Amino acid sequence: MERTARADTTAAPNAPGVPHGAAPPTVPHPPYDACLPAVPGLLDAMPCQRGPAPRSAPAPDSVRVARNGSLRPWRLLPTPTGTPFTFGYAAVLAVTSLISEYADPALVHTLHQASSTDVAHLVQTPVLVLVASALWIAGGILSPFAIGFLLVLTALERRIGGPRTACVFLLGHVLATLATEVPVGLAVLVGHLPDSSLHRLDYGVSFGVAAGVGALAALLTPWLRWPLLAAFGGMLTLDLLAFTDPMTNWGHLMAFAIGIATWPWVRRWGGARPLRDPVPDGA
């Protein structure tokens, strides 16, 4: 006990305010471990066991948000703040779908015909009809491509942003339309098709949605990517083999391939913009 007391104290010989000859006050040493973090598993009397505690790197924002987002089913649908492009576009399509459903059939046919991306309109007003044709949903608001529009474009916009999602959609819509209509015009010009083919009714968002599916697959894990490509590609192939509307069906496959061709850019965009959730954690 005496040796322990001596080892734990030190004298201050010239401390101010202490009378000469009086015993200087003792200053206790802090325990050896007082200022060090408690680390289990250290061995007594073994030096160089302590140091900065290893710190694990924080998870990236995209990983943290992805984990949280997997528990939020409402993220499958567009929101005004999270996916403004898809949300606004969906609102416009809802209005035009209501017009198609409840307006006078003659008026609806006139509007569809004026918005058609047939050869005659593409020659006269290409920009106008390319934009107008994408304001309608062929088959109604409950058609597979309408549902695909909401799910696919929402997921794509959450990962690459609204402007880039719009670029992918317009790329598929415009290029697939031109790839299907230009051959029709050439076939009419050489006499292989009648002149009535120049006024073929063609409108809707399906080409843009098909391109979005192809682009979105680049951002999915392999166990989701390849089943999605196989299922969607197989559906489009079966539609083409049914030969009910070969020009439109070819356009769907072309738009799908265009979306797949954007993988290098989509992956770069997806890596540069982490997925973020505007909804508070407590919602």
Side-chain angles (χ1 to χ4, degrees):
M1 293 299 291
E2 181 181 357
R3 295 182 60 184
T4 303
R6 290 177 181 176
D8 290 341
T9 60
T10 57
N14 297 320
V18 179
H20 182 71
T26 59
V27 180
H29 278 300
Y32 177 72
D33 292 341
C35 301
L36 298 176
V39 179
L42 297 182
L43 300 178
D44 294 337
M46 293 293 292
C48 300
Q49 296 184 78
R50 292 184 182 271
R55 300 176 62 184
S56 58
D61 289 342
S62 58
V63 175
R64 290 197 299 266
V65 173
R67 290 173 181 171
N68 293 336
S70 63
L71 302 176
R72 297 172 180 174
W74 58 81
R75 289 174 57 84
L76 299 175
L77 298 176
T79 60
T81 55
T83 55
F85 168 72
T86 305
F87 185 86
Y89 199 169
V92 173
L93 292 177
V95 172
T96 57
S97 298
L98 291 175
I99 294 174
S100 299
E101 183 70 22
Y102 296 106
D104 182 70
L107 174 62
V108 172
H109 178 75
T110 302
L111 293 174
H112 287 170
Q113 188 65 51
S115 304
S116 175
T117 51
D118 52 40
V119 178
H121 283 116
L122 287 174
V123 171
Q124 298 171 0
T125 55
V127 177
L128 177 61
V129 294
L130 283 171
V131 173
S133 64
L135 301 180
W136 305 92
I137 300 178
I141 198 171
L142 295 180
S143 65
F145 279 103
I147 299 173
F149 174 91
L150 290 177
L151 299 179
V152 172
L153 265 68
T154 297
L156 193 60
E157 185 174 359
R158 289 192 185 279
R159 287 160 174 81
I160 66 175
R164 292 164 177 171
T165 300
C167 288
V168 172
F169 182 89
L170 289 176
L171 193 66
H173 176 70
V174 173
L175 293 185
T177 298
L178 296 178
T180 52
E181 294 296 339
V182 170
V184 172
L186 295 176
V188 172
L189 186 63
V190 299
H192 291 303
L193 288 175
D195 292 345
S196 60
S197 299
L198 298 175
H199 303 279
R200 189 177 70 93
L201 196 62
D202 186 13
Y203 64 91
V205 298
S206 58
F207 289 172
V209 174
V213 174
L216 178 62
L219 304 175
L220 302 178
T221 56
W223 65 274
L224 283 176
R225 178 187 308 132
W226 301 116
L228 174 64
L229 293 175
F232 191 74
M235 181 190 74
L236 298 182
T237 302
L238 292 176
D239 290 342
L240 180 62
L241 294 177
F243 213 72
T244 55
D245 190 357
M247 295 303 299
T248 300
N249 295 332
W250 272 116
H252 289 156
L253 282 173
M254 292 178 184
F256 185 47
I258 290 169
I260 294 175
T262 64
W263 280 12
W265 296 280
V266 169
R267 282 173 171 163
R268 190 179 307 120
W269 294 338
R273 184 182 186 276
L275 180 62
R276 296 188 182 276
D277 187 4
V279 182
D281 292 338

